[in-house]
Amino acid sequence: MKKSLLILLIVAGFETLLAQSSGYWQQQADYKMNVTMDVKNFQYKGDQELVYTNNSSDTLKRVFYHLYPNAFQPGSEMDARIQSIKDPDARMVNKIKVGEKEVKESRIKNLKPDEIGYLSILNFKQNGVSLATKTVGTILEVTLKKPILPHSQTTFTLDFEGQVPIQIRRSGRNNKEGIALSMAQWYPKIAEFDFEGWHADPYIAREFHGVWGSFDVKITIDSDYVLGGSGYLQNKNEIGHGYQDSEIKVVYPKNTKTLTWHFIAPMVHDFAWAADKNYIHDVVKGPNNVDLHFLYKNNPSVIENWKKIEPLMVEVMDFYNKTVGDYPYKQYSFIQGGDGGMEYAMCTLMLGNGTAEGILGTATHELGHSWFQHVLASNESKHPWMDEGFTSYIEDLALNEIANSKAINPFESAYNAYYKLVESGKEQSQTTQADRYDENKPYSVSSYSKGEVFLAQLEYLIGKENVAKTLKRYFHEFKFKHPTPNDIKRTAERVSGANLDWYLSDWTQTTNTIDYGIKEVAENGDKTAITLERIGRIPMPMDLLVEYADGTKERFYIPLRMMSFEKENPNPEIKRTTLTDWAWAIPTYNFTISKSKSTIKKIIIDPIGLMADVKKENNSYEVK
Ligand SMILES: [Zn+2]
């Protein structure tokens, strides 16, 4: 045994011990699949072996699988939801005229049998013994003959037959840009069982939660199709199509009609792929020797845009590595496909016919999900703000980094979207299950924008450097796990020393808002008396900037009592005075400036705008 290996094992063992001592555990799902795709009728057949490890202390008497393609059938929950929600996703409806009125009609409603999606399970066995299964919508329920004991392993085998639906949402055939196969949520996938129990959520609209494990997948398809997806291609010099080593010239055996692509994806929680006959396939070296693959249509109008983002994605990956932590795989693929941009393990499926700026934004966002979802795998259906919001946060940081002119507040549009949501009166708490929002828009703003503001506003609370350290530590401690909201909060507390439980509860578990104001500025001899007031429910510390008539500036900082914390001066070139703390329950706060009122030009609360105050008018006071 090599010494380095021994050290690795000791470290791995120690990490396991640490995880166990804190009570954390997670299941493990290791898949082997063979699948054959019929590109003419979009039907596929395959077999699956799943080695499932129960690391919990529960005895499992049932297991659940997701059969996502079944959502794309008339009468499904997804179909019903499109028909009942007030603002259905534009991609999932046809606009039709009924008399004078324009009506949105579910695109799933009228799918014909050869256009729907389905996934049928046959021959289900546990350790070689046949079991009955029950399909309920998009979920397969299996009652086990032999329960899975705590800390034990079992092997499930099954055969499956599927049909790739007309592209409605995320996956499907012949997307609007002509990509033949966008293969996401395509295989029988065991549902996650974690400390909260089973997460056998029906596929209605929103995103996912998966079991960590590995995938060994062999895909047989007509030899003129080019594939991109999760996992490393094991037989690249037999397959070619741009995957072969540079010195290799691939010669296919005579009469080759199909190729079998063999992928292995280690330590992931999903497996997606796409295929088309007309992909250009570029490979660019990224940071740490990671191969960045770009697969896009050989369409003259888009080639230039894709070539433009290739070197930029090297920069963005480098930025994410430095901002969060090193991308842990050796490959990432940007694949034209799907219906917008969607993150998968080691790849994204994204539309590719848009403007250069548009695909840059999408590619930057989706790559960011490699950290916030595909390494830090929070439950997207319960805490979508943790993947969408945090990804949007690093996306805006990255875009600002590579932009020619830098914004003072790169998160401004997220704040504005959040303010509009509050104003609409349609906000629901971020603890809402992702499918349970009344409308799509409040879900999006709550997850993407308010989730982004969670971290941007944390900069206001504990300082930019502490947030930067928090992200790195969060990554280091929770990579390849399922972090929960408390984990990011505790990490920020450990890094900064501030008490932040109130922030997690007020910001993410309620629709409470922030409103502080300057109530009064009064002459007091040769001094000035200032009264601030808290109008909104959410507590906040106060950063105040005073601009004097002579052009000088001064800062005042009022710590929030319940944080037991004093933030460092965010820009030390301006003198800052730390005042006594402000306790939340006391609605007003008085302090004195040692200069006369006539010398003051302006007083501003939070000059950069990182505190999400919903009423900005009372945040500044100009002395007339
Ligand atoms: Zn996203």
Side-chain angles (χ1 to χ4, degrees):
M1 192 186 283
K2 274 187 184 172
K3 195 182 167 195
S4 57
L5 184 62
L6 181 68
I7 289 167
L8 195 77
L9 285 175
I10 292 168
V11 172
F14 182 64
E15 284 202 337
T16 312
L17 265 180
L18 266 183
Q20 282 168 347
S21 66
S22 63
Y24 181 83
W25 52 270
Q26 66 190 22
Q27 306 295 69
Q28 168 97 12
D30 298 309
Y31 293 87
K32 265 190 191 158
M33 289 190 272
N34 295 288
V35 56
T36 303
M37 174 62 72
D38 184 334
V39 297
K40 286 182 200 74
N41 60 14
F42 299 97
Q43 291 175 356
Y44 55 101
K45 282 186 180 172
D47 58 70
Q48 182 188 84
E49 179 194 279
L50 168 60
V51 176
Y52 184 74
T53 310
N54 177 17
N55 290 317
S56 79
S57 53
D58 281 58
T59 297
L60 304 178
K61 294 178 180 136
R62 289 202 295 174
V63 296
F64 300 85
Y65 282 69
H66 296 281
L67 306 175
Y68 294 113
N70 292 353
F72 303 100
Q73 296 175 4
S76 70
E77 279 196 78
M78 186 181 270
D79 181 29
R81 181 68 170 158
I82 299 168
Q83 294 183 42
S84 64
I85 200 164
K86 204 176 153 198
D87 62 340
D89 188 318
R91 293 167 288 201
M92 300 167 89
V93 291
N94 287 320
K95 287 179 184 169
I96 52 162
K97 281 256 175 188
V98 177
E100 286 299 289
K101 254 177 78 183
E102 190 183 74
V103 174
K104 290 172 183 165
E105 188 184 62
S106 162
R107 288 180 59 217
I108 296 179
K109 193 179 136 198
N110 298 320
L111 289 179
K112 298 184 191 77
D114 61 352
E115 297 173 335
I116 62 168
Y118 63 75
L119 191 55
S120 307
I121 303 306
L122 310 125
N123 211 12
F124 191 103
K125 288 179 181 161
Q126 180 190 12
N127 298 331
V129 178
S130 293
L131 290 183
T133 62
K134 187 177 160 196
T135 298
V136 185
T138 58
I139 297 294
L140 181 82
E141 297 177 4
V142 187
T143 302
L144 304 176
K145 280 185 187 156
K146 216 177 146 221
I148 314 168
L149 297 175
H151 314 291
S152 76
Q153 215 169 52
T154 198
T155 302
F156 297 119
T157 53
L158 58 85
D159 298 326
F160 60 88
E161 290 179 5
Q163 179 167 283
V164 186
I166 293 232
Q167 172 90 33
I168 305 277
R169 187 73 180 96
R170 296 194 180 95
S171 52
R173 65 174 92 154
N174 299 327
N175 84 344
K176 71 170 189 178
E177 297 180 344
I179 304 299
L181 292 162
S182 298
M183 300 297 291
Q185 296 87 36
W186 60 277
Y187 60 93
K189 182 178 183 181
I190 195 153
E192 178 62 299
F193 178 83
D194 62 16
F195 72 104
E196 295 169 316
W198 283 103
H199 295 277
D201 295 325
Y203 190 24
I204 297 173
R206 296 288 160 225
E207 297 182 359
F208 312 103
H209 190 37
V211 188
W212 281 108
S214 63
F215 286 80
D216 181 324
V217 181
K218 288 180 179 151
I219 301 165
T220 302
I221 191 167
D222 289 22
S223 58
D224 49 353
Y225 279 73
V226 184
L227 270 62
S230 312
Y232 307 112
L233 187 59
Q234 301 298 299
N235 53 344
K236 56 186 180 176
N237 290 335
E238 287 163 39
I239 295 289
H241 286 305
Y243 285 95
Q244 70 274 24
D245 295 324
S246 55
E247 71 282 2
I248 298 287
K249 172 133 184 33
V250 181
V251 183
Y252 300 118
K254 244 191 171 172
N255 300 325
T256 297
K257 287 204 176 68
T258 61
L259 289 172
T260 298
W261 299 59
H262 182 198
F263 294 97
I264 288 183
M267 250 345 234
V268 291
H269 55 77
D270 200 8
F271 187 97
W273 56 286
D276 196 78
K277 283 197 274 194
N278 203 21
Y279 273 142
I280 293 179
H281 179 195
D282 298 331
V283 187
V284 174
K285 272 286 169 214
N288 302 332
N289 227 19
V290 171
D291 285 325
L292 300 180
H293 293 251
F294 296 84
L295 295 116
Y296 52 97
K297 274 278 199 198
N298 188 356
N299 166 358
S301 65
V302 310
I303 292 172
E304 196 189 330
N305 289 346
W306 279 79
K307 296 279 184 208
K308 254 190 216 165
I309 67 162
E310 290 176 1
L312 292 173
M313 286 307 110
V314 176
E315 275 185 60
V316 170
M317 179 174 263
D318 188 50
F319 178 80
Y320 289 158
N321 283 347
K322 287 178 179 141
T323 305
V324 192
D326 278 342
Y327 179 75
Y329 307 101
K330 297 309 284 174
Q331 174 189 311
Y332 185 86
S333 303
F334 298 89
I335 307 162
Q336 189 176 2
D339 63 355
M342 182 65 200
E343 69 273 16
Y344 299 104
M346 302 167 70
C347 68
T348 175
L349 302 189
M350 55 180 274
L351 290 179
N353 286 359
T355 60
E357 201 192 350
I359 63 168
L360 170 65
T362 307
T364 304
H365 180 88
E366 301 311 331
L367 178 61
H369 274 301
S370 287
W371 284 262
F372 296 111
Q373 183 47 21
H374 286 285
V375 176
L376 294 153
S378 42
N379 181 341
E380 291 178 308
S381 64
K382 290 191 76 168
H383 320 294
W385 59 277
M386 294 185 75
D387 66 291
E388 295 305 349
F390 296 1
T391 296
S392 300
Y393 174 84
I394 58 165
E395 172 199 353
D396 278 340
L397 283 179
L399 290 173
N400 200 44
E401 178 77 12
I402 60 174
N404 292 324
S405 61
K406 316 274 185 238
I408 297 170
N409 178 3
F411 320 109
E412 203 176 348
S413 60
Y415 280 82
N416 291 336
Y418 164 69
Y419 297 142
K420 272 204 184 130
L421 172 64
V422 171
E423 214 181 286
S424 74
K426 290 180 177 176
E427 191 191 2
Q428 289 175 255
S429 145
Q430 285 178 312
T431 49
T432 307
Q433 205 276 355
D435 276 309
R436 237 69 77 211
Y437 283 85
D438 288 344
E439 296 178 29
N440 281 319
K441 187 78 193 278
Y443 154 81
S444 298
V445 179
S446 173
S447 310
Y448 289 75
S449 309
K450 195 183 179 189
E452 177 173 351
V453 173
F454 177 89
L455 286 181
Q457 187 163 251
L458 195 56
E459 289 188 9
Y460 177 78
L461 294 173
I462 62 173
K464 198 174 176 165
E465 272 174 32
N466 276 332
V467 173
K469 283 184 201 157
T470 297
L471 288 187
K472 290 192 181 84
R473 186 159 171 182
Y474 178 61
F475 178 83
H476 181 73
E477 289 179 6
F478 296 97
K479 61 185 172 189
F480 305 118
K481 291 182 182 168
H482 294 298
T484 61
N486 198 54
D487 294 327
I488 184 73
K489 189 263 300 180
R490 283 294 294 130
T491 306
E493 288 182 333
R494 286 178 183 126
V495 164
S496 66
N499 292 341
L500 294 165
D501 201 41
W502 62 274
Y503 182 49
L504 188 71
S505 9
D506 266 282
W507 190 253
T508 70
Q509 298 166 11
T510 76
T511 55
N512 291 347
T513 54
I514 301 160
D515 180 16
Y516 279 84
I518 301 169
K519 195 178 181 194
E520 203 185 354
V521 178
E523 213 137 3
N524 181 9
D526 56 354
K527 294 178 180 162
T528 309
I530 295 169
T531 306
L532 304 176
E533 83 181 306
R534 177 184 60 75
I535 303 144
R537 290 197 189 109
I538 301 187
M540 278 283 141
M542 288 288 101
D543 256 347
L544 287 143
L545 180 72
V546 179
E547 293 176 9
Y548 295 103
D550 64 3
T552 56
K553 288 175 182 171
E554 188 177 6
R555 281 175 165 271
F556 293 90
Y557 172 61
I558 307 168
L560 174 67
R561 184 173 294 175
M562 66 177 75
M563 278 177 78
S564 306
F565 175 76
E566 187 179 321
K567 179 175 67 175
E568 275 185 39
N569 185 355
N571 51 338
E573 62 274 18
I574 301 174
K575 183 198 150 205
R576 188 186 79 171
T577 305
T578 299
L579 303 167
T580 53
D581 61 20
W582 186 353
W584 172 81
I586 301 167
T588 56
Y589 184 95
N590 301 302
F591 72 103
T592 305
I593 294 179
S594 61
K595 291 187 183 175
S596 71
K597 193 177 168 187
S598 60
T599 65
I600 297 171
K601 197 176 134 206
K602 198 175 179 187
I603 303 167
I604 315 156
I605 298 174
D606 176 32
I608 299 173
L610 288 178
M611 181 179 88
D613 192 310
V614 295
K615 200 171 161 219
K616 285 274 182 288
E617 308 87 270
N618 56 10
N619 285 27
S620 57
Y621 183 96
E622 266 179 85
V623 179
K624 297 269 160 54

